[in-house]
């Protein structure tokens, strides 16, 4: 006679999707609760990439320089039996790039428009803008505010911070210098 023992299949480990990141952010650390955690990068569970938890995926599994959704699968092994997989998604959002434009020198009494053309690229959705300092700007919450001089000085550095709906941010700076307006020439009557 032969005794056969059937062990119940273990349940899938508990693992959560990490918060989305932006391109070039640090790759998130993944965790799974269970026994003898195994990480795979294919749904067929044929390509084991790491054993244990926590796990920081390598660029071959999660490329933090390229936007997209990267899938990993966690299993646990109990009494020699491997569980079904828990799917873990890592979302990498597109990089946001801010441009404050070129440095400017203007004469006292003149105005100039700050920001790039455009002030933001990349990312996704509608951007929000925040310029600092706000002095001499007509609206510090738009892409291209108008700077109005209030006397000679500078350079003064203005920094714009751009944010997209995914929480990706970037900032850029521009220097504005205001020179004194030249005095009127003195001419003698003949």
């Amino acid at each position: 006679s032969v005794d056969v023992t059937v062990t119940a299949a273990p349940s899938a480990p508990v693992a959560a999707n990490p918060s989305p990141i932006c391109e070039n952010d640090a790759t998130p650390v993944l965790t799974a609760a269970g026994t003898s955690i195994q990480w795979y990068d294919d749904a067929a569970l044929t390509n084991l990439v790491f054993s244990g938890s926590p796990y920081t995926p390598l660029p071959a599994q999660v490329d933090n320089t390229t936007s997209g959704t990267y899938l990993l699968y966690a299993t646990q092994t109990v009494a020699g039996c491997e569980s079904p997989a828990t799917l873990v998604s890592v979302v990498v959002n597109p990089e946001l790039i801010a441009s404050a434009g070129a440095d400017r020198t203007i004469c006292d009494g003149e105005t100039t428009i700050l920001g790039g053309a455009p002030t933001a690229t990349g990312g996704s959705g509608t951007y929000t803008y925040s310029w600092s300092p706000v002095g001499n700007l007509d609206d510090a919450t738009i892409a291209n505010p108008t700077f109005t001089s209030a006397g000679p000085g500078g350079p003064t550095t203005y920094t714009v911070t751009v944010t997209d709906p995914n929480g990706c941010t970037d900032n850029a700076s521009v220097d504005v210098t205001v020179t004194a307006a030249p005095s009127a020439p003195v001419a003698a009557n003949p």
Side-chain angles (χ1 to χ4, degrees):
S1 66
V2 175
D3 292 330
V4 177
T5 302
V6 178
T7 304
S11 59
V14 176
N17 295 328
S19 296
I21 64 170
C22 302
E23 283 182 9
N24 299 311
D25 284 353
T27 302
V29 176
L30 307 181
T31 59
T35 304
S36 299
I37 299 296
Q38 308 284 328
W39 293 93
Y40 297 87
D41 65 3
D42 65 320
L45 307 181
T46 58
N47 190 29
L48 176 67
V49 294
F50 188 76
S51 296
S53 179
Y55 166 54
T56 302
L58 299 173
Q61 285 79 50
V62 175
D63 182 358
N64 65 337
T65 65
T66 304
S67 64
T69 300
Y70 298 88
L71 306 178
L72 291 150
Y73 304 85
T75 65
Q76 68 171 326
T77 301
V78 178
C81 296
E82 190 169 26
S83 73
T86 297
L87 173 64
V88 177
S89 299
V90 180
V91 175
V92 180
N93 290 312
E95 180 179 25
L96 177 62
I97 300 171
S99 171
D103 292 343
R104 294 176 174 64
T105 299
I106 63 172
C107 292
D108 186 21
E110 293 182 343
T111 63
T112 188
I113 296 175
L114 303 184
T119 300
T121 55
S124 59
T126 303
Y127 307 120
T128 59
Y129 302 91
S130 176
W131 286 87
S132 177
V134 298
N136 302 337
L137 300 181
D138 66 335
D139 186 344
T141 63
I142 62 175
N144 299 100
T146 299
F147 170 89
T148 302
S149 68
T156 301
T157 301
Y158 285 85
T159 301
V160 61
T161 300
V162 184
T163 307
D164 75 3
N166 292 321
C168 298
T169 64
D170 194 30
N171 57 56
S173 298
V174 60
D175 288 334
V176 179
T177 303
V178 179
T179 59
S183 56
V186 177
N189 291 329

